[in-house]
Amino acid sequence: MNTSIIRYILGHILKMEAAFMLLPCIVSILYKEPREGLTFLAVLIICGLVGILASIKKPASATFYLKEGCIATALSWILLSIFGALPFVLTGEIPSFTDALFETVSGFTTTGATILESPESLSYCSLFWRSFTHWIGGMGVLVFLLAVVPLSGASNFNLMKAESPGPSVGKLVPKVQYTARFLYIIYVFLTIIEFIFLVAGNMSVFDALTTSFGTAGTGGFGVKNDSIMSYSPYIQWVVTVFMILFGINFNAYYFILIKQFKKAFKIEEVKYYLIIIGVSILMITASTFTTISSLSSTFRHASFQVASIITTTGFSTVDFNMWPQTAKCVLVLLMFIGACAGSTGGGIKVSRLVVLAKTVVKELNSFIHPKSIKKINVNGKPVEHEVVRAVNVYFITFMIIFSFSVLLLSFEGKDAVTSFTAVAATINNIGPGLELVGPMGNFSCFNMFSKYVLIFDMLAGRLELFPLLIMFHPAIWKDVVRKKIKR
């Protein structure tokens, strides 16, 4: 294993995080919060120094394979979260390191699950950093690294493959660096457009900025206790539209940019994604509509919550804990479906479910016509057996981790709905669940052990399971030990 390239990448990641921490320092100056600003500055310096020491010596070989990419990815997210949690602990705003780590992992993984009973009690710079972690983690920290710090060699594609969500990852353009830049250009452009629309709706600049970060990264950290509930219907509709837009496969936007509109509208996953959203909105509107509230407000709230849950954003405009069972059942199903591959959303992904559904149909046809040989087609192209196998393995692994996590949480004695939806909300990177972890609740009710289980679930869900699981494979550590002995 090329441990030197992993160390080199981690160094760049920490220097990048140090640069990002300049922004909350600026916010502290604007809002006159010197103590919090100095804390961020101190962590910035430590983070930067560690990063410089780790990356000052270039590796002898810049070549690395998928296993190095997975290890570098997992360690990058763990280190980002540890250093990102330090300002919360040192300022005393979240004194417990476990709680601070939970909050920071939730931010970087764009989960939006919180242990805070009142986010408004945080300083402006901490609120900014908390929301900005969504934006950093949304498109991926290593994708950003590839966009601004190109690594030599063609093997850097393994970094993007290890971090980017979805059953398959491809290059939009021949060079990985240019692909990463295209993705971030689209990402930044959509964020700026949403920010402009929110400010146009009389939202304060700070709220508009943090809300845009949360929407773009499909994270869901709010700066108010009631999330988006107290904002105007116009604001709620803007956030709804942009949550849906950020849940679409970014390949579609790339094809639109290069004026290949037929390719953009032929992406099968996007069609099913929009159909699922439409059907879910109609079902929830029908089940929640009463004579007490108008049809327009019911439709608005249903649209917002469907968009929020399927894109795994986690914002809320109502306490859907109080909705009828049918509406809550639809939302729970949407938690698992998730957004499109190649978007900033979480969940299993629509593309995987499309492949799984077509696999079932293929197997049924094989019973009826045993001698027929048919391949699964997506977007008019045959899906390779390796992709189908990977989707099946992912789904099985997902269900094993999910089931085991629910079992571990059950030891704490919480009700089944709370434990089930807490795991569903974290492993799918959504945020709110039902009952004690509903939109008006939080995750502070869990003990330390359960919080670390949920931290693992958040990281596993964001990294598509395997980059994190490979860290626990004995062969990886035997390889590292063997290399040290040779030295």
Side-chain angles (χ1 to χ4, degrees):
M1 181 185 290
N2 191 351
T3 53
S4 59
I5 189 66
I6 295 174
R7 182 244 325 141
Y8 187 68
I9 291 168
L10 293 177
H12 277 298
I13 289 292
L14 290 177
K15 288 190 293 184
M16 189 179 72
E17 183 172 28
F20 284 142
M21 283 190 181
L22 282 171
L23 294 176
C25 290
I26 294 170
V27 172
S28 70
I29 294 171
L30 294 174
Y31 288 94
K32 298 178 181 178
E33 297 171 337
R35 187 173 69 87
E36 290 81 1
L38 288 172
T39 302
F40 272 95
L41 183 62
V43 176
L44 179 160
I45 293 169
I46 296 169
C47 190
L49 286 174
V50 175
I52 290 169
L53 291 173
S55 61
I56 196 167
K57 183 182 178 182
K58 289 188 177 182
S61 172
T63 303
F64 56 97
Y65 300 98
L66 187 56
K67 66 177 180 180
E68 282 92 351
C70 289
I71 295 293
T73 299
L75 288 176
S76 293
W77 284 75
I78 292 168
L79 280 179
L80 272 172
S81 301
I82 291 171
F83 278 95
L86 291 180
F88 294 124
V89 178
L90 296 177
T91 57
E93 293 179 289
I94 307 179
S96 165
F97 177 75
T98 298
D99 287 347
L101 184 64
F102 184 97
E103 198 77 8
T104 309
V105 170
S106 181
F108 279 120
T109 59
T110 72
T111 304
T114 183
I115 49 84
L116 296 173
E117 294 182 6
S118 176
E120 292 176 75
S121 63
L122 295 182
S123 61
Y124 279 100
C125 62
S126 291
L127 279 175
F128 178 90
W129 176 244
R130 183 171 171 265
S131 294
F132 190 53
T133 54
H134 281 335
W135 196 87
I136 297 170
M139 187 54 66
V141 291
L142 291 167
V143 174
F144 183 84
L145 178 68
L146 291 173
V148 297
V149 185
L151 300 170
S152 59
S155 57
N156 55 21
F157 177 62
N158 287 317
L159 275 182
M160 182 177 284
K161 191 175 181 181
E163 183 181 54
S164 300
S168 62
V169 179
K171 301 176 189 177
L172 298 178
V173 289
K175 290 188 176 181
V176 174
Q177 181 190 1
Y178 295 150
T179 297
R181 284 181 181 175
F182 265 115
L183 290 172
Y184 259 95
I185 287 169
I186 296 167
Y187 191 49
V188 172
F189 176 76
L190 286 175
T191 306
I192 292 171
I193 295 299
E194 183 188 1
F195 173 75
I196 292 170
F197 272 102
L198 292 175
V199 172
N202 294 322
M203 201 178 201
S204 71
V205 172
F206 182 84
D207 286 12
L209 199 58
T210 51
T211 302
S212 297
F213 289 153
T215 309
T218 60
F221 274 153
V223 293
K224 293 185 181 294
N225 291 338
D226 60 2
S227 190
I228 310 294
M229 193 182 299
S230 58
Y231 293 109
S232 67
Y234 167 83
I235 297 293
Q236 293 175 5
W237 274 118
V238 169
V239 175
T240 300
V241 170
F242 277 92
M243 284 191 294
I244 294 171
L245 290 177
F246 279 108
I248 290 175
N249 191 321
F250 274 43
N251 286 5
Y253 297 132
Y254 171 74
F255 290 134
I256 291 171
L257 277 177
I258 61 175
K259 298 181 180 178
Q260 293 186 10
F261 300 108
K262 285 186 179 179
K263 283 188 177 181
F265 296 113
K266 277 186 177 180
I267 299 177
E268 199 171 333
E269 179 188 26
V270 177
K271 293 178 184 177
Y272 285 115
Y273 167 72
L274 295 175
I275 289 170
I276 292 168
I277 288 174
V279 172
S280 300
I281 290 172
L282 292 176
M283 288 181 67
I284 291 178
T285 301
S287 65
T288 58
F289 176 63
T290 62
T291 54
I292 299 172
S293 58
S294 65
L295 180 61
S296 61
S297 65
T298 303
F299 181 74
R300 184 179 78 251
H301 292 311
S303 301
F304 188 97
Q305 292 310 149
V306 166
S308 179
I309 298 300
I310 195 170
T311 62
T312 70
T313 306
F315 283 137
S316 60
T317 57
V318 290
D319 183 4
F320 51 77
N321 242 337
M322 308 303 294
W323 278 0
Q325 292 300 322
T326 301
K328 288 193 286 188
C329 182
V330 171
L331 291 181
V332 171
L333 290 174
L334 292 177
M335 286 181 183
F336 290 93
I337 292 171
C340 297
S343 71
T344 60
I348 293 174
K349 303 291 184 303
V350 175
S351 58
R352 283 197 180 93
L353 294 175
V354 169
V355 172
L356 283 170
K358 291 191 175 186
T359 302
V360 172
V361 173
K362 180 190 172 185
E363 289 300 312
L364 288 173
N365 288 334
S366 69
F367 280 105
I368 300 169
H369 306 288
K371 294 183 180 181
S372 67
I373 301 174
K374 287 186 177 181
K375 283 198 170 186
I376 297 169
N377 291 314
V378 176
N379 300 328
K381 296 179 181 179
V383 179
E384 295 178 4
H385 174 71
E386 283 300 309
V387 174
V388 177
R389 183 191 64 81
V391 169
N392 292 335
V393 171
Y394 177 89
F395 186 74
I396 293 167
T397 308
F398 179 94
M399 294 310 300
I400 291 171
I401 294 174
F402 176 83
S403 303
F404 191 59
S405 296
V406 173
L407 176 64
L408 291 177
L409 258 66
S410 69
F411 295 144
E412 195 172 337
K414 299 283 191 299
D415 65 275
V417 174
T418 295
S419 298
F420 183 92
T421 58
V423 175
T426 49
I427 198 169
N428 291 308
N429 304 132
I430 294 163
L434 296 174
E435 298 300 336
L436 297 178
V437 292
M440 298 299 113
N442 58 70
F443 286 73
S444 63
C445 58
F446 290 104
N447 62 29
M448 185 182 294
F449 174 76
S450 296
K451 284 173 184 173
Y452 278 108
V453 171
L454 297 174
I455 285 171
F456 175 87
D457 288 341
M458 287 189 280
L459 287 168
R462 176 59 184 84
L463 299 181
E464 304 277 282
L465 308 182
F466 295 104
L468 189 63
L469 290 180
I470 200 173
M471 293 273 293
F472 300 93
H473 199 292
I476 295 295
W477 299 108
K478 284 180 183 177
D479 194 11
V480 173
V481 172
R482 193 182 302 118
K483 189 169 183 181
K484 285 185 176 180
I485 292 172
K486 284 182 179 180
R487 285 178 180 177

